[in-house]
Amino acid sequence: MTAIKVENLSKTFKVKVKDKGLKGSIKSIFKPKYKEIKAVKDISFEVEKGEIIAFIGPNGAGKSTTIKMLTGILFADEGNVEVLGISPNKERKKLAYEIGTVFGQKEQLWMHLTPYDNFKFFGAIYDIPNSVAEKRIENLKMLFELEEFMDTPVRNLSLGQRIRCEIVASLIHEPKVLFLDEPTIGLDPVVKENIRALIKRMNKELKTTIFLTSHDVGDIEKLCKRVIIINHGRIVLDDSMEHLKYNYLNKKIIEVKMKEKVNLEDEPGITILKDKGYNLKIEVDTKDKNVADVIKLLDPDKIIDINISNIPLENIISDIYKNEEK
Amino acid sequence: MRKYFYIFKSNLIANLQYVSNIMIGFITYFVIIFIFTNLWEYIYSNPDKLINGYGLEQMIWYVIVTEILWYATGGRKLCNKISNDVKSGNIAYNMNKPYSYIGYSLSSHMSEAILRGVLYTIAGMVMGLVLLGPIKDFNLISIPFVLISSLLAVLINILLVICIGLTAFWVEDSGPFYWIYSKVILVFGTMFPIEYFPGIIKIILNYSPVYVTTYGPAKLFIDFSFESCLSILVAQIIYLILSVLLASFIYRKGVRQLNVNGG
């Protein structure tokens, strides 16, 4: 079952431009000039129900513009969008009852109210009967471990506690699709882990489809099974995490500490990233060379210490961005 | 309606924390009333004289009531908020919630207006009674009608300010429009009753927002009659419907212009 269907979606913004200085400002009053910025260019994809998908890209790639079109905030210039079979532009209010949104950089909670009052408020705006809202608040309180601070005004909560409450507020009406726009931004590693675990649990227990944008590779790696990479308004990759890792993780990094200096040079499958005499950092392309062969070249008897690791996903993603730009 | 009541209630809880801030505004209110009391006492050299059908006490009570309505509305703050919401793209985050932005703005600001209205009414009544004593021949039966008319006046005023704030969809800053609107209401609506203005201006004012947002409730308070009550309430209801339609029209047109920067 498809939860989100996007076909040939495009969006262009008209932005006012003016020449430098006072002269330019006066000129722009009488003869305003505009330039067009194509934020999203002809993108198409589908998301299945219950899927957790990462929608990532560098700043200005078109991620948030796409999310805003999917949630009915922005009107698309061209193309077709359906979320749960509903057109966001034509039936925005109807869709609002079916989806939830969390924008990590934008709070939707009332700061002076307690989480409990906030959840009651969200229950009311989604027309949920009091008794049902109470039950859901109780369940979500347990799931997201909010007992401690249910009666503390939101303005007095830590960022991690607030984000948990933001997510709960967007779940009161049991949305079928949840849009999370950088939900872990600004959080410390422990809280990030905690939020990720809760999102995963929520997806498992409530079967919520999750559409996630994040600059944090940890979010993507730990939560998502599929990733869409967007750059300059176009989709540059739409693949499963497994494939992404398989295709790009054929490279290994070997860091060695030697007893003696070794003379190793670049050759097919081997790239010397760092050579400090006794310490070497080597990239091995396992398609051309086995790791074992490289170790043999180094002479295992002279190795004091060795560390073999995968290339971080972060580097893979930034390589994909860079290749696309070239 | 339940959701708008919750928006009203939530904002009221927030504003109850700032009652002392609201009360600081009493200072300018007292100064204005004090200045007008002296001004009208000077104009009415003979306290029993009637000018355009109004006596001295009625004139000062008129200013007390219109200023309460003006301060209760708090239009500048609302206009700035709506204008900033549009310019910053904040309005977008209200769009994916199942309520209307206008309904949201109206109910959240109404809670603030009612709180301010209650506090200013207490201050204004105490000041009026201390300075002037009660209005002669004041009819107690007028109280519910004055309250209904005042509520409608504030509602209409808020809706018109929302319309002005929403012009930010097309212009860089809706502030100048609000400045013009506030000065028109201030000069033609809070200082003098409409009867003070000559010929054509009087006719225009009778059909203008001045009639329904300030003059109407104040007139009922100082010179109540069922005839004027009926015409004022009918005019207010017509204005209320028109201002709701106008605000919805502007919002619908404007929202298509919305450019929200990505994050």
Side-chain angles (χ1 to χ4, degrees):
Chain A
M1 284 286 275
T2 310
I4 301 171
K5 193 175 175 190
V6 173
E7 287 172 324
N8 311 107
L9 190 69
S10 297
K11 177 75 187 174
T12 304
F13 290 119
K14 216 169 133 190
V15 180
K16 199 173 179 179
V17 283
K18 63 176 191 173
D19 298 334
K20 278 181 270 182
L22 182 66
K23 200 177 150 192
S25 298
I26 294 168
K27 207 173 143 191
S28 80
I29 297 172
F30 298 102
K31 210 177 167 188
K33 275 193 263 175
Y34 296 92
K35 72 169 178 186
E36 287 194 339
I37 294 176
K38 290 192 172 171
V40 174
K41 301 169 195 165
D42 195 27
I43 64 168
S44 302
F45 61 88
E46 283 187 13
V47 179
E48 292 302 308
K49 276 186 183 165
E51 212 178 343
I52 306 186
I53 188 170
F55 191 71
I56 60 171
N59 287 331
K63 307 182 295 289
S64 290
T65 303
T66 307
I67 280 207
K68 281 166 188 144
M69 286 192 279
L70 295 181
T71 52
I73 290 173
L74 284 177
F75 288 80
D77 293 334
E78 280 167 54
N80 184 39
V81 182
E82 272 182 24
V83 178
L84 301 162
I86 301 167
S87 161
N89 290 147
K90 289 179 193 150
E91 299 170 285
R92 191 169 56 216
K93 245 185 207 164
K94 187 179 170 190
L95 181 66
Y97 285 97
E98 306 291 338
I99 61 167
T101 48
V102 175
F103 294 92
Q105 301 189 68
K106 173 83 204 145
E107 67 272 2
Q108 56 181 340
L109 299 171
W110 293 66
M111 289 293 137
H112 54 275
L113 297 184
T114 63
Y116 176 79
D117 285 336
N118 264 292
F119 302 151
K120 290 281 284 183
F121 168 77
F122 279 93
I125 65 162
Y126 284 101
D127 301 321
I128 300 163
N130 244 329
S131 55
V132 179
E134 286 286 353
K135 227 178 248 175
R136 286 186 192 169
I137 291 170
E138 196 53 37
N139 289 343
L140 289 164
K141 185 177 86 179
M142 307 300 272
L143 183 65
F144 281 78
E145 296 154 10
L146 311 179
E147 295 92 337
E148 261 178 65
F149 48 87
M150 274 300 266
D151 298 319
T152 311
V154 171
R155 63 168 186 268
N156 297 333
L157 300 181
S158 69
L159 185 60
Q161 291 170 331
R162 186 175 70 72
I163 294 285
R164 266 144 78 188
C165 293
E166 289 276 355
I167 297 175
V168 168
S170 64
L171 292 176
I172 290 290
H173 59 294
E174 294 191 341
K176 295 182 183 81
V177 180
L178 184 63
F179 292 90
L180 298 171
D181 193 2
E182 301 194 43
T184 58
I185 195 163
L187 300 177
D188 69 51
V190 178
V191 181
K192 269 183 191 177
E193 271 309 313
N194 187 271
I195 298 275
R196 285 170 194 151
L198 292 169
I199 292 172
K200 227 172 181 173
R201 221 161 110 192
M202 171 185 79
N203 167 260
K204 205 175 161 192
E205 289 182 21
L206 307 174
K207 311 275 177 242
T208 315
T209 306
I210 293 169
F211 193 90
L212 169 87
T213 76
S214 180
H215 286 294
D216 192 314
V217 176
D219 288 349
I220 301 154
E221 208 169 11
K222 292 188 178 147
L223 288 172
C224 307
K225 288 198 174 137
R226 184 178 150 208
V227 60
I228 294 179
I229 300 180
I230 182 170
N231 200 7
H232 300 301
R234 287 188 199 283
I235 289 176
V236 294
L237 186 123
D238 181 352
D239 212 341
S240 68
M241 279 302 287
E242 219 170 288
H243 270 115
L244 181 73
K245 282 185 177 172
Y246 180 79
N247 290 329
Y248 289 87
L249 293 187
N250 49 359
K251 287 180 182 170
K252 302 279 173 189
I253 302 287
I254 302 178
E255 288 170 283
V256 281
K257 198 174 178 183
M258 308 293 294
K259 280 182 197 164
E260 290 169 18
K261 276 189 180 179
V262 231
N263 285 324
L264 192 67
E265 283 177 359
D266 283 0
E267 59 179 88
I270 298 178
T271 313
I272 312 292
L273 299 175
K274 223 183 258 176
D275 184 354
K276 285 187 178 173
Y278 298 95
N279 295 313
L280 282 173
K281 191 173 181 183
I282 309 156
E283 186 185 282
V284 181
D285 190 338
T286 53
K287 280 182 193 159
D288 298 326
K289 206 88 174 173
N290 285 330
V291 173
D293 294 340
V294 179
I295 293 170
K296 272 178 207 161
L297 281 173
L298 288 168
D299 189 352
D301 292 338
K302 292 174 185 165
I303 294 173
I304 299 172
D305 191 13
I306 187 162
N307 180 35
I308 304 168
S309 58
N310 287 322
I311 290 187
L313 185 59
E314 200 158 340
N315 295 8
I316 296 171
I317 291 170
S318 59
D319 274 353
I320 294 170
Y321 293 167
K322 280 177 203 158
N323 288 339
E324 154 69 10
E325 269 158 33
K326 279 175 201 164
Chain B
M1 280 311 280
R2 184 171 153 245
K3 63 183 82 174
Y4 296 106
F5 170 71
Y6 256 87
I7 295 167
F8 176 90
K9 193 176 117 183
S10 303
N11 212 39
L12 185 64
I13 296 171
N15 282 299
L16 281 171
Q17 296 177 38
Y18 306 112
V19 167
S20 52
N21 290 15
I22 296 172
M23 286 165 82
I24 291 170
F26 285 175
I27 299 167
T28 50
Y29 178 77
F30 288 147
V31 171
I32 287 170
I33 302 301
F34 181 73
I35 292 169
F36 273 93
T37 305
N38 283 286
L39 180 74
W40 286 116
E41 276 174 356
Y42 179 75
I43 294 168
Y44 280 82
S45 46
N46 173 6
D48 298 325
K49 193 170 122 187
L50 290 180
I51 301 176
N52 294 315
Y54 294 103
L56 172 62
E57 281 173 8
Q58 282 176 307
M59 281 314 303
I60 299 170
W61 273 110
Y62 181 86
V63 178
I64 289 174
V65 175
T66 54
E67 287 293 335
I68 288 172
L69 292 168
W70 184 247
Y71 275 88
T73 304
R76 192 193 300 162
K77 189 180 166 195
L78 175 64
C79 186
N80 285 343
K81 192 190 171 292
I82 304 254
S83 180
N84 288 336
D85 272 359
V86 173
K87 280 188 285 179
S88 67
N90 259 352
I91 199 167
Y93 298 100
N94 284 283
M95 284 166 62
N96 60 6
K97 297 280 179 294
Y99 51 64
S100 99
Y101 177 73
I102 292 164
Y104 174 85
S105 304
L106 182 67
S107 44
S108 67
H109 195 75
M110 206 52 200
S111 65
E112 213 175 316
I114 286 180
L115 180 64
R116 263 201 306 265
V118 169
L119 293 173
Y120 273 90
T121 302
I122 295 167
M125 291 302 130
V126 169
M127 200 176 176
L129 290 170
V130 169
L131 284 175
L132 311 158
I135 299 173
K136 274 179 206 159
D137 308 322
F138 181 75
N139 192 349
L140 282 177
I141 207 157
S142 68
I143 291 176
F145 296 101
V146 173
L147 288 176
I148 293 168
S149 176
S150 299
L151 194 69
L152 287 169
V154 173
L155 261 174
I156 295 164
N157 212 346
I158 289 176
L159 280 162
L160 293 176
V161 174
I162 289 174
C163 291
I164 295 169
L166 288 174
T167 58
F169 277 120
W170 295 274
V171 292
E172 289 279 320
D173 184 9
S174 57
F177 294 123
Y178 178 74
W179 189 87
I180 295 167
Y181 173 76
S182 65
K183 297 307 165 240
V184 167
I185 300 285
L186 190 76
V187 173
F188 295 102
T190 61
M191 296 178 185
F192 317 94
I194 288 176
E195 289 84 349
Y196 269 68
F197 294 95
I200 183 81
I201 298 177
K202 193 163 129 185
I203 295 167
I204 294 169
L205 290 177
N206 272 324
Y207 291 98
S208 74
V210 166
Y211 185 81
V212 289
T213 57
T214 50
Y215 170 82
K219 168 82 178 168
L220 293 181
F221 186 76
I222 60 170
D223 184 18
F224 182 80
S225 74
F226 279 105
E227 196 186 325
S228 56
C229 179
L230 186 69
S231 68
I232 287 164
L233 289 179
V234 168
Q236 286 185 315
I237 289 164
I238 293 171
Y239 246 97
L240 183 67
I241 295 166
L242 290 178
S243 50
V244 168
L245 292 175
L246 181 66
S248 313
F249 176 75
I250 296 175
Y251 178 78
R252 273 206 305 274
K253 284 274 164 198
V255 94
R256 297 195 76 95
Q257 310 257 338
L258 189 66
N259 273 3
V260 186
N261 294 332

